[in-house]
Amino acid sequence: MTAPNYHRLRQAIAGARFPCEQGDLLRQAAAAGADDDTLGHLSALPRRSYDDADAVETACKQLHE
């Protein structure tokens, strides 16, 4: 899997109410019309709570190190 487009990722989760769980992020992104690539990256995240969009982006980056 290639690294996500972080701009699209942030747009997809912009309406999320943090802190939130990985499943909440997926639902928010799907409701926002996120593309399959973005949804795939969010589904690959560890199932835990995320405090903010920065924490989501950091988790995605760690998956691609």
Side-chain angles (χ1 to χ4, degrees), residues 18-59:
F18 290 96
C20 64
E21 301 290 324
Q22 182 251 12
D24 298 324
L25 293 169
L26 274 171
R27 283 188 287 283
Q28 170 59 41
D35 58 69
D36 289 342
D37 187 52
T38 300
L39 293 172
H41 287 290
L42 289 172
S43 67
L45 290 175
R47 296 180 194 272
R48 64 176 181 87
S49 181
Y50 294 89
D51 292 331
D52 54 29
D54 289 338
V56 175
E57 186 172 324
T58 297

Side-chain angles (χ1 to χ4, degrees), residues 1-6 8-9 22 26 35-46 59-65:
M1 184 182 289
T2 61
N5 178 310
Y6 293 107
R8 285 195 317 231
L9 180 77
Q22 182 251 12
L26 274 171
D35 58 69
D36 289 342
D37 187 52
T38 300
L39 293 172
H41 287 290
L42 289 172
S43 67
L45 290 175
C60 282
K61 287 178 179 177
Q62 289 173 343
L63 290 174
H64 295 95
E65 288 182 337

